[in-house]
Amino acid sequence: MRRENQSSVSEFLLLGLPIRPEQQAMFFALFLGMYLSTVLGNLLIILLIRLDSRLHTPMYFFLSHLAFTDVSFSSVTVPKMLMNMHAKYKSISYAGCISQTYFFIFCADLDSFLITSMAYDRYVAICHPLHYTIVMSQSICVMLVAGSWVIACACALLHTLLLAQLSFCADHTVPHFFCDLAALLKLSCSDTSLNQLVIFTAGLTAIMLPFLCIVVSYGHIGATILRVPSSKGICKALSTCGSHLSVVTLYYGAIIGLYFLPSSNNTNNKNLIASLMYTVVTPMLNPFIYSLRNKDMKGALRKLFCGRK
């Protein structure tokens, strides 16, 4: 293939989702509704946590940051995807593509770290309740969130800087609905071995290590719950973890389905579906999970809309 210097690449073409022309309007309305639900639902969570003093706890502090990250996560990819559904020429500028890659990786990693912080909060609350206020002090919570932002930013920046050094071949058509890093590397004419090594290393740091921490945390939580003599105590413990476990299952389920299950002949479609799960579906469902399964959130909703204490 003809080699082309990256400075001459002014844009990339996004193939988007494999949707038939007669179904474009239906899927446009579907994804627009899901995106609006994501934005409004997560902003409502942030508003409730800000207004209700009963929600000024470490768990909801992490949740407010997770809600903001989910809005950002969807906003990185969905608006451009919706625009391209009605565009004849589905292009994105070189700078726009690099920026989209950066913010996508940043939000994905930040989501992972925040979910892990929430799992640690539940571990301390259930396994060490007498030390909870000391261990999960305001300064510790701020440090956990700040550390999550810094590490996610560093990982995303490293990937983006390495990507910007690559040269791209004459064909710069991306078989995705956004500038996915793996898809962009396949278009490069340069040696991408360093990029692949960083993806593996950063993936361990930002995805696998947090996931293992969550598994260990819930392993300890499960052992503690089994030692509780009363069924009432077990139900109370499970109620505090149910919402978070649902979010963990949705988020990491999509990632495991994308990267760890055996590949089929329809790999690209599988990648698209998995990407839709953790960029569109999961951020939309999080507000419903936390509002429907959580007594505190339901109480805050009633207080906001009905004025009840």
Side-chain angles (χ1 to χ4, degrees):
M1 295 182 71
R2 179 170 60 88
R3 293 176 68 90
E4 209 175 327
N5 188 275
Q6 75 154 55
S7 60
S8 66
V9 178
S10 60
E11 62 183 14
F12 291 93
L13 299 178
L14 298 173
L15 289 185
L17 299 173
I19 300 173
R20 296 176 182 176
E22 62 272 16
Q23 297 177 328
Q24 289 276 3
M26 179 185 69
F27 278 99
F28 178 86
L30 174 64
F31 288 126
L32 178 60
M34 293 173 73
Y35 176 66
L36 293 177
S37 298
T38 298
V39 173
L40 295 176
N42 283 288
L43 290 180
L44 178 61
I45 282 182
I46 296 173
L47 179 64
L48 290 174
I49 293 172
R50 292 278 295 178
L51 295 179
D52 197 324
S53 59
R54 294 174 299 180
L55 302 180
H56 293 174
T57 63
M59 181 67 175
Y60 294 107
F61 175 71
F62 295 131
L63 178 58
S64 64
H65 282 270
L66 181 65
F68 176 78
T69 305
D70 282 341
V71 172
S72 304
F73 204 4
S74 285
S75 298
V76 168
T77 58
V78 178
K80 183 62 179 176
M81 179 184 71
L82 293 174
M83 288 173 59
N84 283 346
M85 281 187 173
H86 286 294
K88 291 183 179 179
Y89 192 63
K90 303 177 181 181
S91 65
I92 183 171
S93 67
Y94 175 82
C97 189
I98 297 297
S99 299
Q100 189 181 57
T101 302
Y102 170 81
F103 285 108
F104 178 84
I105 297 171
F106 171 73
C107 291
D109 289 353
L110 185 55
D111 245 12
S112 181
F113 292 132
L114 290 174
I115 290 172
T116 306
S117 298
M118 295 170 76
Y120 178 68
D121 173 80
R122 292 299 84 201
Y123 159 74
V124 176
I126 294 174
C127 300
H128 304 283
L130 298 179
H131 300 96
Y132 181 76
T133 54
I134 299 173
V135 176
M136 299 305 296
S137 63
Q138 184 177 3
S139 58
I140 295 295
C141 293
V142 171
M143 285 176 57
L144 285 171
V145 171
S148 299
W149 279 74
V150 170
I151 297 173
C153 180
C155 289
L157 188 61
L158 179 60
H159 284 300
T160 308
L161 290 176
L162 289 174
L163 178 64
Q165 302 302 313
L166 300 179
S167 299
F168 291 93
C169 302
D171 180 16
H172 45 272
T173 302
V174 182
H176 219 298
F177 63 89
F178 69 96
C179 289
D180 178 57
L181 179 60
L184 290 173
L185 293 183
K186 291 179 182 178
L187 300 179
S188 174
C189 297
S190 306
D191 181 14
T192 61
S193 57
L194 179 59
N195 300 74
Q196 299 290 351
L197 177 62
V198 171
I199 287 175
F200 176 77
T201 306
L204 285 177
T205 304
I207 301 298
M208 290 309 301
L209 283 180
F211 179 67
L212 289 176
C213 290
I214 292 172
V215 171
V216 171
S217 296
Y218 274 101
H220 284 287
I221 289 172
T224 301
I225 290 174
L226 291 177
R227 290 198 297 267
V228 175
S230 66
S231 59
K232 183 179 179 181
I234 293 176
C235 292
K236 184 178 179 180
L238 289 175
S239 68
T240 63
C241 300
S243 300
H244 183 252
L245 269 175
S246 301
V247 172
V248 169
T249 303
L250 284 171
Y251 183 78
Y252 285 101
I255 293 177
I256 291 171
L258 177 58
Y259 294 108
F260 296 101
L261 292 183
S263 299
S264 63
N265 295 330
N266 212 11
T267 303
N268 191 56
N269 284 345
K270 186 187 76 170
N271 293 348
L272 291 174
I273 293 171
S275 298
L276 282 172
M277 278 297 297
Y278 61 79
T279 59
V280 182
V281 179
T282 302
M284 180 196 69
L285 291 179
N286 283 357
F288 294 101
I289 291 171
Y290 280 104
S291 61
L292 294 177
R293 294 180 59 91
N294 190 292
K295 290 182 178 180
D296 293 333
M297 291 297 295
K298 286 190 285 188
L301 277 171
R302 282 195 298 268
K303 184 178 177 181
L304 178 65
F305 292 111
C306 304
R308 297 175 185 172
K309 297 289 185 181

